[in-house]
Amino acid sequence: MTGLLVRDLAQVVTHVGDGAPLRGPDLAKVAVVEGGYVLVGEDGALLSVGAMRDLPALGGDVQELDGAGLSAIPGLVDCHTHPAFAGDRVHEFSLRAAGATYEELLAAGGGILSTTRATRDAAPDELRRIVASHRDAMLGHGTTTFEGKSGYGLDRETELAQLEAVASAGGVPTWLGAHAVPPEHPDADAYVEWAIADVLPAASRVAVAADVFVERGAFGIDTARRYLRACASAGLALRLHGDQLSEMGAVPLAVELGARSVDHLEATGADGVAALARSDVAGVLLPVAALYLGRPMPPARALVDAGAIVALATDFNPGSAFCESLPVVATLACTQLGLTPEEALGAMTVNAAHVLGLRDRGRLAPGLRADVVLLEAPDWRHLAYHLAGDVVHTVLREGRGVLSRA
Ligand code: NIG
Ligand code: FE
């Protein structure tokens, strides 16, 4: 591979410093270079980033890309998605539009369980094709790294097929073994004991983390603790879906177990905010899910102001957030969550990479992966400003062009 120079960019933006995660005021601290360049080395890592007037003399074989009229941001990191599903839930979307609730549909055997039936019927190759196509849609919105959960198999074969489909598409796999209780098990405890014995040993060889849906109609705190402790013993990092519809104790459990994150938090109150702020557990906020289900937005401003680690993600899934776009999430962050564009960017780059345990990306800085998104905009804040706009022009992953609208 030859080197690559992206020259004459309208703006280049990245968070200052090199630490992660970003808390409090640091989440908003970006450096914006007007009239800049990004230089990628032959190994796909960034060599330097700066103002055109400081561009060093280039040796060797360097390809050039004209960045006039474009703004460069770090590749976006979607740290919470559910892309390994077959079928769709458009019928339930209509029922909800007519007044049915998410919980009612799940309790009636629909929701997650209806996607589970469709996903169990899909062959592993079909799941691989489906995840790759969602990965490509995410790339089109500037996502260069994605996490993908299982949780629509809830049997051994399909859970493993989902994890392998995510890994083969280049995603970071999370075993969401405790997403819902499938009908062949008498209750949540019996299902979790079975999953720990029969699925965890193989799942822990593919997955990086484990996740559980702590909610009425899904898994209670004691069952979640049992599941997560077993997963931690198998070497997995811990994540929780918590406080989405009701506050059941997911935040204290996450703190007790040293989890990487609690995700959702739409129902989190002041005690939960304070507990997260005192901890190293990230709050992953999913405003599309709140919007889609007509729920209150999570307390993003309070979390950031209290010093909690805040990340943003799409929650892409067929039921509660059928949306692959982190730029849409950025718009919601700025219009519904009370965050600034700078904070939104930090929450879907540096902090999202931190949630996934990835230290080699999240900023435009020498030595990091050359994951770069060029926005068709004179100011990088169009990322959030242009609601559902076609703002992504070019995407580089490890210095290679993987998307270009040019
Ligand atoms: O994060 N809440 C649980 N899991 C997903 C939704 C999954 C589904 O409805 O299929 C979520 O919103
Ligand atoms: Fe989710």
Side-chain angles (χ1 to χ4, degrees), residues 2-8 52 55 58 62-67:
T2 56
L4 174 69
L5 171 70
V6 188
R7 56 179 306 137
D8 295 311
M52 282 304 290
L55 180 64
L58 301 178
V62 179
Q63 201 190 326
E64 295 201 3
L65 192 66
D66 181 9

Side-chain angles (χ1 to χ4, degrees), residues 80-82 149 176 179 211 241 263-264 286 315 317 320:
H80 182 141
T81 86
H82 306 247
K149 302 176 195 296
L176 179 48
H179 197 193
D211 200 342
H241 280 67
D263 304 38
H264 276 290
L286 310 165
D315 195 22
N317 76 75
S320 66

Side-chain angles (χ1 to χ4, degrees), residues 365-378:
L368 296 188
R369 276 169 57 123
D371 292 350
V372 187
V373 176
L374 306 181
L375 304 174
E376 187 149 28

Side-chain angles (χ1 to χ4, degrees), residues 11 71 73 327-328 330-331 341 375-392:
Q11 288 187 335
S71 294
I73 61 170
V328 165
T331 305
L375 304 174
E376 187 149 28
D379 184 307
W380 73 270
R381 291 171 297 183
H382 282 241
L383 174 74
Y385 167 54
H386 195 164
L387 172 53
D390 259 347
V391 71
V392 172

